[in-house]
Amino acid sequence: MSEEKVPSPGLRRGYLKEKGFRSWAFTHDHKRIGIMYLIATHLFFLIGGLLAVLLRLKLLTPGPALMSSHAYNVLFTMHGAMMIFLFIIPAIPSSLGNFFIPLLIGARDVAFPRLNLYSLWLFLAGIVVTVASLLNPIDTGWTFYTPYSAKSATAVTALSLGLFLVGMSSILTGLNFIVTIHTMRAHGMTWYRMPLFIWGMYATSVIQVLATPVIGMTFILLVAERIFGVGFFDPAKGGDPLLFQHFFWFYSHPVVYVMILPAMGIISEIIPTFSRKPIFGYKAIAYSALAIAFIGFLVWGHHMFVSGMSTAAAVIFSFLTFFVAVPTGIKIFNWIATLYRGSISLDSPMIWALTFIFLFIIGGLTGLFLGALATDVHVTDTYFLVAHFHYTMMGGTVMGLFAGLHYWFPKMTGRMLNERWAFHAWWLIVAGFNVTFFPMFILGMQGMPRRYAEYPAKYQPLNIVATVGSWVLALGILIMFVNFIRALKSGPPAPDNPWHGLTLEWTVPSPPPVENFEEIPTVTDWPYSYGEKEEPGNDE
Amino acid sequence: MTSDHPKHEGAPVSARLGIWAFLATELLLFGGLFTVYAVYRVVYPDLFQQEHLKLNRLLGTLNTILLLTSSLTMAVGIAAIRQGRQQALKIALTLTLLLSAGFLGIKYLEWSEDFSHGLYPESNLFFGLYFMMTGLHGLHVVLGMLVMGWLLVCARQGRFSAQYSTPVEVTGLYWHFVDLVWIYLFPLLYLVG
Amino acid sequence: MPAYKNYVVVWVVLLLLTAATVWVSFLNLGLWNATVALGIASLKAVLVALYFMHLRHEIKLVLGFATFPLLILALIIFGTLTDILYR
């Protein structure tokens, strides 16, 4: 929107300068590793999204149409498995986390740069094996419950191996981040001067390190059952299918906090920056991240209320489940309190951050119906659940990811996004998302079960609404991605500090040089002193 | 953590934090198997009581001794290199490798004997657990031996000294963890079934 | 040599504890067999951790890293058992 045409600078500046396959495949630079994770994870976001559009197409009619029931089972399994393991778990931590943790703490790289590279290779190897399993695609649902997953003639073993490798990547990344945050903060950066994104990433990394091995063991046991005939989960051999569920959910519940904590960290950065106000309740937000991580380990049984689990255990898990709402609520109230009397700018990062808060509240509150035993019996494994987790995972994590991408795009690429396109993508996505998923709360209450290829005709109208919503959502996402690509090619050059932020990444050029900082800074203040000090870096 | 910590001989703090974090993941990995053990021991106490007698207690005890001794040699090796004693380190690593090989040899004997008696992972839940737990543990022994072999090669090239012993320290901690797992596996499988 | 002495002493104790636990296993103490076995195993584990793994002289942060995961391990074992035991 400038009067004269300023030629766009090339992308190849700073850490992006060096060319060639080897400079990427064998890099130790956390920024390049982050970019590679970014591309890989978003590729699977698009593929998983395409699968979802196909799913919703099938669900336009209640009877048989478009594909067999088996094909439908494969579709929702692959949609779930890809979205969860290949996109949403690694998306923020491995890409934005990798890129920005060292920058935010004033370090030149992570603690173990070579391990970082090997983690990426493990991730890519896992992707290859997982995709190879598509030759005989699995149809068990992404939760692979036994006994069916132990008996299904599909490539469960291959997928388990692929996801085991992906899990190892996740573990090593978390380990790297924990040690980095403990040992590589710049001089003067005490724990209470760390940006809240770092607190969030720390809590996330602790979960990754402690929970992921359990899903690793779960895969090993499942493969042992399939290959060696070991009967831990097989009732015919004295085994217990519920044991699988305990193992599966001991990881898969904490992992939803791996998904949401980094997104919350991003929101904690964006809200104060675009309100020009210090964050309200810094310590409360920091400790809430740790509390969420810890409480998250205590509640896995709430996925098993109707499984045949003992009532005593169910009561305990339900009781504990309510506690996780407390630190979550604290964060939400503190963000809102930050907005109060702030000087709000509605640039693209901010509209995404505000969207996160709104949609995550809906997702979180609906969790209460699922956490309460009596109501859960009615809504579990219905579309109510599907809506709940899409509101939290997509309305929450993915919108938080979009916020982070818009916020940090200038820093990573040296280009500015087109704000008008970003706005149009935004309202299409938000409208499409709500039209797709809100009806599902109603469908679930009315009794429509999930994972059914065919359904009673009375549910059709709302299914049609949801499918149309999915098209609007897909269009919005497409426009957003086109905006990214256009900006990469011909976006206006980004200044060092386009948003006038106070965290350390805004003190270095956009894109940053390989070594991040010319001189490691000495930190003397916390990064939220908006209105109290001048922001660093030149911005014109 | 920006303050100076007292000078600690051995590996730097980031290496120690890193390996302990990794051991945490191993604890949770084996922990899954210990959970399965706990569950089925509670549900099938008679099965466990009856089947565990089929294990060779003598060989199990011998293996325990071998592994405990290998931890000793490893610890001695690390103490040696902290004092710059390269030759002692090489001897210690070699001894650790020999003891580990002995452990694996005995394991092989045990498993062969079990197979010859028709006891396989799918035979019953106890033996399913036995083979999986000792199998996963054995795999970790093999991996440890590979790393120690590589350390020996590096030690022969004079790569370690009193100032730099980090890979040895880190491997030592891993090795002691492998020993720790066996310290629990032995009584749970062989002695109390 | 003096640096090694502690290790050898610990090793001897570990061997003695091993002998003890094997000996006890031949006695019939009913439910106490498991408790004694696990107790002795834990004693051995603590010795290995404190002396061989140098935890005795470690900084608090490393001690935290070494002990906190035990809590999570206890969680999965006991959490699962609350289901199994009370079906």
Side-chain angles (χ1 to χ4, degrees), chain A residues 315-454:
Chain A
V315 168
I316 296 173
F317 279 120
S318 174
F319 178 70
L320 290 170
T321 299
F322 290 106
F323 284 103
V324 80
V326 174
T328 309
I330 288 176
K331 286 191 179 227
I332 294 179
F333 286 128
N334 284 4
W335 291 324
I336 296 176
T338 307
L339 293 170
Y340 177 68
R341 292 212 176 169
S343 171
I344 314 277
S345 342
L346 290 175
D347 302 283
S348 54
M350 186 59 153
I351 58 176
W352 281 116
L354 295 173
T355 307
F356 170 97
I357 296 176
F358 177 68
L359 294 176
F360 186 71
I361 288 177
I362 297 177
L365 287 176
T366 53
L368 293 171
F369 297 93
L370 292 153
L373 279 173
T375 46
D376 184 68
V377 170
H378 182 65
V379 292
T380 195
D381 272 345
T382 65
Y383 268 81
F384 189 92
L385 173 67
V386 175
H388 162 74
F389 63 66
H390 282 92
Y391 266 85
T392 46
M393 293 203 287
M394 188 166 194
T397 301
V398 177
M399 309 277 175
L401 168 69
F402 293 166
L405 289 176
H406 286 75
Y407 183 53
W408 277 321
F409 186 92
K411 181 55 58 186
M412 291 190 282
T413 63
R415 307 297 188 100
M416 296 298 287
L417 288 167
N418 183 308
E419 283 288 305
R420 226 177 65 241
W421 280 59
F423 174 70
H424 289 312
W426 171 78
W427 67 260
L428 279 168
I429 290 174
V430 175
F433 173 83
N434 282 294
V435 172
T436 308
F437 292 107
F438 198 84
M440 292 186 191
F441 283 123
I442 303 172
L443 281 170
M445 289 286 227
Q446 289 177 341
M448 180 175 173
R450 69 189 286 212
R451 293 179 173 166
Y452 273 50
E454 296 168 30

Side-chain angles (χ1 to χ4, degrees), chain C residues 2-67:
Chain C
Y4 309 150
K5 197 180 76 148
N6 269 354
Y7 294 144
V8 176
V9 169
V10 170
W11 174 69
V12 169
V13 175
L14 287 169
L15 291 180
L16 289 172
L17 287 172
T18 306
T21 199
V22 173
W23 177 67
V24 169
S25 75
F26 285 108
L27 309 172
N28 188 349
L29 306 170
L31 289 172
W32 282 101
N33 271 103
T35 314
V36 170
L38 280 175
I40 294 181
S42 300
L43 199 51
K44 287 161 81 177
V46 165
L47 284 172
V48 170
L50 283 180
Y51 289 97
F52 287 166
M53 297 175 94
H54 307 131
L55 280 182
R56 194 142 181 267
H57 305 288
E58 263 292 3
I59 58 177
K60 274 200 297 232
L61 184 62
V62 173
L63 284 171
F65 272 49
T67 49

Side-chain angles (χ1 to χ4, degrees), chain B residues 119-137:
Chain B
L119 292 167
Y120 295 98
E122 68 265 28
S123 300
N124 57 56
L125 288 177
F126 178 82
F127 273 94
L129 261 172
Y130 168 76
F131 282 112
M132 289 223 58
M133 290 174 111
T134 56
L136 188 66
H137 179 261

Side-chain angles (χ1 to χ4, degrees), chain B residues 80-91:
Chain B
I81 193 59
R82 282 185 183 183
Q83 293 177 331
R85 292 151 162 257
Q86 309 227 5
Q87 188 58 17
L89 171 67
K90 282 184 263 189
I91 295 175

